[in-house]
Amino acid sequence: MHPNITLKTGDITKEHVCAIVNAANSSLMGGGGVDGAIHRAGGSTILEACRKVRAESYPNGLPTGEAVATTAGKMPAKYVIHTVGPIYPGCGDRCAALLASSYANALKTAQKLQCKDIAFPAISTGIYGYPKEEAAKIAYKISKAFLEDNPDMKIYFIFHKQSDKEIFESAIGVESN
Ligand code: ADP
């Protein structure tokens, strides 16, 4: 495991990091899963900020693979970085590239915000149906590549379920304990 990457189980809304990532949908108006949890925990200022983003920058919704930051409202994090992962298997031969873009653009956004730590959920692997092993390999590869140019960033992967953390570990070749 890369020394700047940490896997944890828990609730991402409680993470004390500069930015937490939301597996949003393109409307940015909230949804189920981690998206719903983030909006509930952060309060209405997040939805207000998302409405503003839609009105000013993305009237047709945030495209898949892109990322945009808002306040984190009442949560301990400073920012929420919303990214839209691909919907599997409809993403076809672009699935891997789109999921990689979600991770890379979220990391770039954190860097622009001068964040030194960021927490990710397992983007697209819930309601969006992306195979968890494949998603883990992509998340890890993009994170490692980013850390080569940004060695002082700390990246956390937060899993709601212990079994998902174990799937991630085995996909990237780490013994789980
Ligand atoms: P997507 O629509 O991108 O698939 P989901 O929210 O359905 O997003 O699921 C993404 C992952 O987030 C799943 O592994 C789910 O278990 C996890 N998840 C749900 N709630 C939380 C939470 N509060 N903290 C961290 N991970 C969460």
Side-chain angles (χ1 to χ4, degrees):
M1 179 72 68
H2 191 289
N4 292 32
I5 299 178
T6 306
L7 311 186
K8 291 170 70 175
T9 51
D11 176 357
I12 199 168
T13 67
K14 299 195 159 55
E15 286 296 311
H16 290 254
V17 287
C18 182
I20 64 168
V21 176
N22 183 15
N25 59 56
S26 135
S27 80
L28 298 179
M29 294 297 113
V34 72
D35 194 4
I38 285 174
H39 280 275
R40 274 194 302 278
S44 60
T45 54
I46 300 178
L47 190 57
E48 281 162 29
C50 285
R51 283 194 208 284
K52 201 156 172 249
V53 168
R54 283 291 307 272
E56 290 173 2
S57 311
Y58 294 102
N60 299 318
L62 185 66
T64 305
E66 300 289 319
V68 74
T70 67
T71 173
K74 295 185 285 181
M75 290 182 287
K78 197 163 171 198
Y79 304 106
V80 175
I81 297 174
H82 307 262
T83 186
V84 182
I87 303 176
Y88 197 92
C91 41
D93 58 10
R94 299 176 65 222
C95 293
L98 288 168
L99 187 60
S101 284
S102 274
Y103 279 100
N105 284 323
L107 287 163
K108 261 187 234 163
T109 303
Q111 179 193 34
K112 278 193 208 135
L113 294 165
Q114 299 185 322
C115 283
K116 296 289 174 226
D117 49 15
I118 180 169
F120 282 97
I123 300 167
S124 282
T125 66
I127 300 160
Y128 279 8
Y130 208 109
K132 293 172 183 180
E133 294 81 1
E134 287 311 308
K137 286 179 190 156
I138 292 165
Y140 192 58
K141 182 175 149 200
I142 297 299
S143 298
K144 267 200 317 186
F146 179 85
L147 288 167
E148 279 175 26
D149 297 327
N150 301 274
D152 48 359
M153 181 74 90
K154 298 254 187 300
I155 301 175
Y156 297 87
F157 289 101
I158 313 300
F159 299 94
H160 214 34
K161 292 191 277 181
Q162 173 68 20
S163 56
D164 286 342
K165 178 171 171 277
E166 284 163 12
I167 291 169
F168 190 106
E169 285 169 333
S170 88
I172 65 162
V174 176
E175 290 279 309
S176 44
N177 47 21

